[in-house]
Amino acid sequence: MSIYKAKDYKELSRKAANIISAQIIMKPSCVLGLATGTSPIGIYNQLTEWYEKGDLDFSEVSTVNLDEYIGLDTANPQSYRYFMNTNLFDRVNIDIHNTNVPNGMAADLEGECDSYDNLIHMLGGIDMQLLGLGHNGHIGFNEPGESFEKGTHIVSLSQSTIDANSRLFESKEDVPKKAITMGIRTIMQAGIVLLIASGKDKADIVRDAFWGKITPEVPASVLQLHKNLIIVADEDALSKSPVTDNYTVLR
């Protein structure tokens, strides 16, 4: 894995956006796996700024998002489709028909999971997957458990995830309890995985996930096995890890 240390969230966002923009420039028709939540907002703002300056062209890019809440339609401000439209898709020249988010309102949710995996396969797989990191080590909505889930699946959200996401809702009771999420196998099959982490509250899980044992109890730990993992984290998030500067770990 390659690790890039940033001074703060602003620098982290710019470094990560640089990596994504390089992918788009090298392969204009690339497939990007995208994430939601507060962590990637700075990245999407930076990518939008470069697009507005004429430095980036999204016209041939396809995207697949990691996950979506079950029970929220696309017009709901808390849905991840709404988030992506607001924070990126409506701000750049991407073809909205080339953007994909799981359908949390599907009548056949199991069928939606299978269809999403088939879609990713038809696209040729994911060239670069952007990930955040949950406090309990979840990536996407792959929660701690007894095994690594392989394909897109339905998950019951852990209480810690519900608590963390409740800041975005009027009350904790309004947070959906289930979601559709891309599976670990699909994430691991991406050509490049780009994980971002910011803040002292992520320091413990960054250390445990990337310098601890590989276990489904810390889902992100499986990324230690990825052939091309890039971590961009700020000083606070790396404060408990054995990192002194940017470096690459050979495994």
Side-chain angles (χ1 to χ4, degrees):
M1 60 184 172
S2 298
I3 301 171
Y4 295 89
K5 180 188 285 189
K7 179 180 178 181
D8 52 26
Y9 176 75
K10 182 177 181 180
E11 184 179 345
L12 176 157
S13 298
R14 188 175 181 86
K15 284 179 179 289
N18 261 320
I19 295 169
I20 295 172
S21 64
Q23 173 66 62
I24 296 171
I25 291 168
M26 288 188 298
K27 185 180 179 182
S29 61
C30 66
V31 179
L32 297 179
L34 298 179
T36 53
T38 55
S39 295
I41 289 177
I43 296 172
Y44 297 150
N45 287 339
Q46 183 64 75
L47 292 173
T48 299
E49 180 182 327
W50 287 334
Y51 161 73
E52 291 173 344
K53 289 181 178 179
D55 296 332
L56 278 180
D57 178 11
F58 289 82
S59 62
E60 297 181 49
V61 172
S62 296
T63 68
V64 286
N65 260 75
L66 281 166
D67 41 34
E68 178 61 283
Y69 287 120
I70 289 176
L72 298 188
D73 62 38
T74 57
N76 190 306
Q78 303 305 332
S79 76
Y80 288 157
R81 164 57 77 174
Y82 188 99
F83 174 97
M84 291 306 308
N85 288 350
T86 302
N87 287 284
L88 184 63
F89 298 155
D90 291 346
R91 304 168 69 193
V92 298
N93 67 329
I94 197 166
D95 184 343
I96 199 68
H97 296 100
N98 290 337
T99 66
N100 302 280
V101 180
N103 180 8
M105 295 294 290
D108 179 3
L109 291 171
E110 293 290 351
E112 172 65 13
C113 293
D114 292 338
S115 295
Y116 206 68
D117 283 336
N118 289 335
L119 167 68
I120 295 170
H121 178 73
M122 289 175 60
L123 288 171
I126 298 168
D127 292 299
M128 177 176 288
Q129 177 65 59
L130 175 64
L131 296 175
L133 178 64
H135 291 94
N136 62 359
H138 74 250
I139 46 177
F141 274 135
N142 291 281
E143 298 281 12
E146 296 180 356
S147 63
F148 292 112
E149 293 282 357
K150 295 180 179 179
T152 300
H153 60 284
I154 299 166
V155 61
S156 295
L157 304 184
S158 70
Q159 190 59 51
S160 64
T161 299
I162 292 171
D163 291 344
N165 291 353
S166 64
R167 69 190 186 283
L168 304 173
F169 291 80
E170 289 189 8
S171 69
K172 191 178 298 184
E173 289 69 31
D174 292 331
V175 182
K177 305 302 186 290
K178 292 188 175 183
I180 299 177
T181 187
M182 195 184 292
I184 294 293
R185 177 182 59 195
T186 308
I187 292 171
M188 291 294 288
Q189 288 175 341
I192 301 169
V193 171
L194 172 60
L195 182 137
I196 57 173
S198 176
K200 289 185 177 180
D201 59 322
K202 295 293 178 71
D204 286 329
I205 194 59
V206 167
R207 176 199 61 209
D208 295 346
F210 303 111
W211 284 271
K213 67 178 181 178
I214 298 172
T215 169
E217 294 177 1
V218 183
S221 65
V222 73
L223 297 175
Q224 295 181 45
L225 301 176
H226 195 276
K227 63 184 183 297
N228 199 350
L229 169 64
I230 302 173
I231 298 173
V232 182
D234 61 19
E235 294 176 353
D236 284 341
L238 290 170
S239 61
K240 296 185 179 181
S241 299
V243 179
T244 56
D245 208 340
N246 302 333
Y247 74 108
T248 300
V249 177
L250 299 177
R251 294 184 180 276

